[in-house]
C-alpha cells in the first residue's frame, strides 16, 4: 500500500488549497477520464515540476544567458533538447514555449508578418484556435484561410481532410504558413500530402502534433519528419509530460524559431517544466512507452467498434489514433447535455462540435472522447465494451433525465477504476 503524500507544508500554510488538491486526486482516481487531450503523468514527472528549479530566471539559451548562476539550468535544458531531438528525429528543438498556443504564435512570429495569409483547419472541423480561427489572435492579426473535411456519402472519405480543398486554397491564397493537425481529428494525418502542397506554394508547413506526439514518439502514428518544416507540440497530452510545449525544426529554421520564442514572445523559461519535459522524454524513450502508445490506439479502435455496435454515429466512421468524435444527433441528445450527464456518472468527456455542425460551439452536437488516460491506468481492449456500455447508458439517461441510472453507472465506474491505480496518484 502506498500512502498518500502528506503535503505537510501546504496543509499547514493553506489547508483550504491542500484540501482541494486532495479532492482533485480523489476525483482523478475515481472517474473514467476520457478527454483525449488529458493523461496521468508519472510520479517522476510530478516530482520534477515541484523542484527549486522554479526559483531560477534564465532568459536566453544554454551557454547564452542574460543571468548568471546557470550551471545546472543549462544542463537541464540541454538534456531536454537532446532527448527531444533523439525521440522525434529532428535537427533542432526548442523546449521553452509555455504551452501549445504560445508555441504556435512563435511560429507565426518566425515566418509571417501581421496581415499575411495562413492556412489551417477550421476549428469546427477539428482544427485548433491558433490555426488562424477568427476569435484567436492568429485569425485577428493574420489573414486566416480555413480548410475542412469531406462530407459525402462515401464512407471512405466522409469526415476526412479534403486535400483537393487544401490544394486549391493553397494555390489561390499563397499562404506563408500551412498548419496541419488539430484537436478533433480521429484519422491519420497525411504529412506527406501536406508537405507536397506546402512545397508547391512555397509555404512553411507547421505540423501541430499536440494530440498525437506520444503516438509518434511510440511509433503508433507516422512522423511528420521529413515533410514538415516545423513541428509544434504540447508535452502533456499523449506524450504524458508536464504542461508545456516543444517547437522542433530542421537546422535551417533553428535561429528563426529560437529568436521568436525568446526574445520575440516570452521571457524566462519555466525551468521546473523544462526538467519535467526532460523526464517525460526519457520515459518516452523506454520500450514500455511504445507498448503504451500502441495500446492507446488499440483501445480507441476497440472503443469505436463497441460504440458503432451500439448505434453511435462516429465522425469518419471510426478512428486511427487516440480519439473518437461522436455525433449525438441521431441519439436526440445535445453534446453538452450528454457531457454533463456523463460527468455525473463519473465519465469525464468534453462536448464538441462535429464537422458541419448546425448547432453552436457552446451547445454543439457531439462529444469528444479518447483513450490516453485509461490506457495509462492499464485498461485494455477487453474493457472497452464495458466503457461503451456505460456511455450508452449515460447518454440514454441524459435523454430521459434518469438521475438514478447515472448514479448507478457512477458506482460501477468507481468500483472498476479502484482496480486500476493511476500513475502519480496515491493509492490506498
Ligand atoms: N485544449 C486542447 C484540447 O483539449 O484539445 C487544445 O488546445
Amino acid at each position: 500500500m502506498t500512502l498518500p503524500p502528506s503535503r505537510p507544508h501546504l496543509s499547514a500554510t493553506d489547508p483550504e488549497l491542500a484540501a482541494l488538491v486532495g479532492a482533485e486526486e480523489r476525483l482523478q482516481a475515481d472517474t473514467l477520464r476520457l478527454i483525449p487531450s488529458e493523461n496521468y503523468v508519472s510520479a517522476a514527472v510530478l516530482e520534477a515540476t515541484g523542484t527549486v528549479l522554479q526559483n531560477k530566471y534564465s532568459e536566453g539559451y544554454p551557454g547564452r544567458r542574460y543571468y548568471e548562476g546557470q550551471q545546472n539550468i543549462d544542463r537541464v535544458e540541454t538534456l531536454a533538447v537532446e532527448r527531444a531531438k533523439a525521440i522525434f528525429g529532428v535537427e533542432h528543438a526548442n523546449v521553452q514555449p509555455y504551452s501549445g498556443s504560445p508555441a504556435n504564435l512563435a511560429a507565426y512570429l518566425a515566418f509571417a508578418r501581421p496581415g499575411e495569409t495562413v492556412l489551417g483547419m477550421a476549428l469546427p472541423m477539428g482544427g485548433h484556435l491558433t490555426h488562424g480561427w477568427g476569435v484567436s489572435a492568429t485569425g485577428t492579426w493574420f489573414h486566416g484561410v480555413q480548410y475542412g473535411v469531406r462530407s459525402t456519402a462515401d464512407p471512405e472519405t466522409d469526415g476526412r481532410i479534403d486535400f483537393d480543398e487544401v490544394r486549391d486554397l493553397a494555390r489561390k491564397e499563397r499562404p506563408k504558413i500551412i498548419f496541419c493537425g488539430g484537436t478533433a481529428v480521429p484519422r491519420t494525418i497525411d504529412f506527406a500530402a501536406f508537405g507536397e502542397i506546402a512545397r508547391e506554394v512555397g509555404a512553411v508547413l507547421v505540423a501541430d502534433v499536440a494530440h498525437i506526439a506520444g503516438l509518434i514518439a511510440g511509433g503508433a502514428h507516422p512522423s511528420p519528419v521529413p515533410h514538415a518544416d516545423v513541428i509544434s507540440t504540447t508535452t502533456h497530452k499523449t506524450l504524458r509530460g508536464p504542461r508545456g510545449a516543444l517547437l522542433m525544426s530542421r537546422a535551417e529554421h533553428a535561429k528563426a524559431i529560437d529568436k521568436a520564442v525568446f526574445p520575440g514572445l516570452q521571457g524566462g523559461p519555466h525551468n521546473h517544466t523544462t526538467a519535467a519535459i526532460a523526464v517525460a522524454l526519457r520515459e518516452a524513450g523506454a520500450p514500455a512507452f511504445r507498448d503504451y502508445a500502441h495500446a492507446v490506439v488499440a483501445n480507441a479502435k476497440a472503443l469505436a467498434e463497441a460504440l458503432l455496435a451500439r448505434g453511435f454515429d462516429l465522425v469518419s466512421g471510426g478512428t486511427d489514433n487516440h480519439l473518437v468524435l461522436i455525433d449525438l444527433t441521431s441519439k436526440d441528445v445535445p453534446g453538452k447535455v450528454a457531457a454533463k450527464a456523463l460527468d455525473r456518472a463519473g465519465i469525464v468527456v468534453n462536448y464538441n462540435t462535429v464537422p458541419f455542425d448546425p448547432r453552436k460551439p457552446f451547445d454543439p452536437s457531439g462529444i469528444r472522447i479518447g483513450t490516453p488516460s485509461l490506457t495509462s491506468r492499464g485498461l485494455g481492449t477487453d474493457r472497452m465494451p464495458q466503457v461503451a456500455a456505460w456511455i450508452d447508458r449515460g447518454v440514454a439517461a441524459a435523454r430521459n433525465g434518469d438521475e438514478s441510472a447515472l448514479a448507478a453507472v457512477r458506482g460501477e465506474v468507481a468500483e472498476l477504476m479502484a482496480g486500476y491505480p493511476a500513475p502519480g496518484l496515491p493509492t490506498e
Side-chain angles (χ1 to χ4, degrees):
M1 184 174 84
T2 312
L3 291 174
S6 55
R7 285 186 287 273
H9 306 288
L10 182 60
S11 300
T13 303
D14 193 338
E16 189 181 4
L17 195 283
L20 287 171
V21 175
E24 178 62 21
E25 278 176 347
R26 286 190 293 283
L27 189 66
Q28 291 191 18
D30 290 349
T31 51
L32 182 58
R33 299 170 67 231
L34 293 181
I35 292 176
S37 47
E38 293 183 349
N39 214 326
Y40 294 93
V41 298
S42 69
V45 168
L46 273 184
E47 280 178 14
T49 62
T51 58
V52 295
L53 299 178
Q54 81 90 36
N55 292 342
K56 194 74 193 108
Y57 255 124
S58 41
E59 272 98 333
Y61 291 100
R64 296 178 283 131
R65 306 281 191 189
Y66 290 82
Y67 292 70
E68 296 312 312
Q70 306 296 340
Q71 295 86 337
N72 303 308
I73 299 298
D74 274 5
R75 291 176 66 186
V76 167
E77 185 166 336
T78 302
L79 263 184
V81 166
E82 292 307 322
R83 287 176 185 171
K85 284 163 67 176
I87 281 179
F88 290 100
V90 291
E91 292 171 348
H92 179 67
N94 186 310
V95 300
Q96 295 192 6
Y98 298 143
S99 200
S101 297
N104 286 348
L105 206 49
Y108 283 81
L109 190 55
F111 301 110
R113 301 273 71 85
E116 289 185 333
T117 300
V118 299
L119 178 59
M121 193 181 210
L123 183 70
M125 294 284 180
H128 190 253
L129 277 167
T130 56
H131 297 180
W133 188 243
V135 296
S136 153
T138 63
T140 307
W141 294 340
F142 299 85
H143 176 228
V145 176
Q146 309 271 272
Y147 60 85
V149 296
R150 288 186 187 274
S151 172
T152 67
D154 179 0
E156 291 299 309
T157 58
D158 192 18
R160 316 261 177 152
I161 288 169
D162 185 345
F163 278 102
D164 292 337
E165 184 190 23
V166 177
R167 193 177 298 101
D168 289 348
L169 285 172
R171 284 177 178 163
K172 181 165 163 257
E173 302 281 350
R174 311 301 289 191
K176 289 283 175 186
I177 303 175
I178 298 177
F179 277 89
C180 62
T183 61
V185 181
R187 294 297 180 176
T188 300
I189 297 174
D190 188 344
F191 297 117
F194 276 108
E196 201 181 302
I197 294 169
R199 275 195 305 280
E200 184 193 322
V201 302
V204 170
L205 177 64
V206 178
D208 182 344
V209 301
H211 265 256
I212 52 173
L215 306 185
I216 293 168
H221 188 289
S223 166
V225 178
H227 312 291
D229 299 285
V230 177
I231 301 167
S232 166
T233 184
T234 50
T235 45
H236 47 268
K237 298 187 174 93
T238 49
L239 192 54
R240 223 162 50 178
R243 302 194 83 91
L246 307 172
L247 265 181
M248 300 175 279
S249 70
R250 288 199 278 272
E252 66 185 282
H253 298 309
K255 219 167 153 185
I257 292 283
D258 285 355
K259 223 175 114 195
V261 174
F262 174 84
L265 198 64
Q266 298 187 173
H270 294 176
N271 296 310
H272 53 306
T273 300
T274 305
I277 289 173
V279 175
L281 291 171
R282 185 185 169 102
E283 292 174 349
F289 195 87
R290 291 186 78 81
D291 298 341
Y292 149 78
H294 285 92
V296 167
V297 175
N299 277 337
K301 284 177 184 287
L303 182 53
E305 285 304 319
L307 289 165
L308 287 169
R310 289 178 172 276
F312 282 91
D313 288 336
L314 308 184
V315 171
S316 84
T319 183
D320 297 327
N321 54 32
H322 64 302
L323 183 151
V324 177
L325 189 55
I326 307 177
D327 184 345
L328 291 172
T329 307
S330 66
K331 297 283 183 184
D332 202 20
V333 188
K336 193 174 189 173
V337 173
K340 288 189 176 300
L342 287 167
D343 194 44
R344 295 198 292 283
I347 298 171
V348 188
V349 308
N350 68 274
Y351 55 88
N352 216 95
T353 51
V354 296
F356 311 102
D357 204 326
R359 303 176 68 92
K360 298 266 180 269
F362 201 58
D363 185 19
S365 298
I367 55 173
R368 189 185 65 151
I369 61 175
T371 51
S373 297
L374 64 78
T375 305
S376 291
R377 292 183 75 157
L379 275 78
T381 52
D382 56 321
R383 292 293 184 191
M384 296 308 111
Q386 174 65 77
V387 174
W390 282 330
I391 292 173
D392 201 6
R393 282 164 63 192
V395 167
R399 187 177 50 240
N400 303 331
D402 186 349
E403 289 301 318
S404 64
L406 295 176
V409 173
R410 179 80 186 83
E412 291 170 33
V413 167
E415 195 182 329
L416 181 77
M417 297 320 286
Y420 291 90
L425 292 192
T427 52
E428 292 176 81

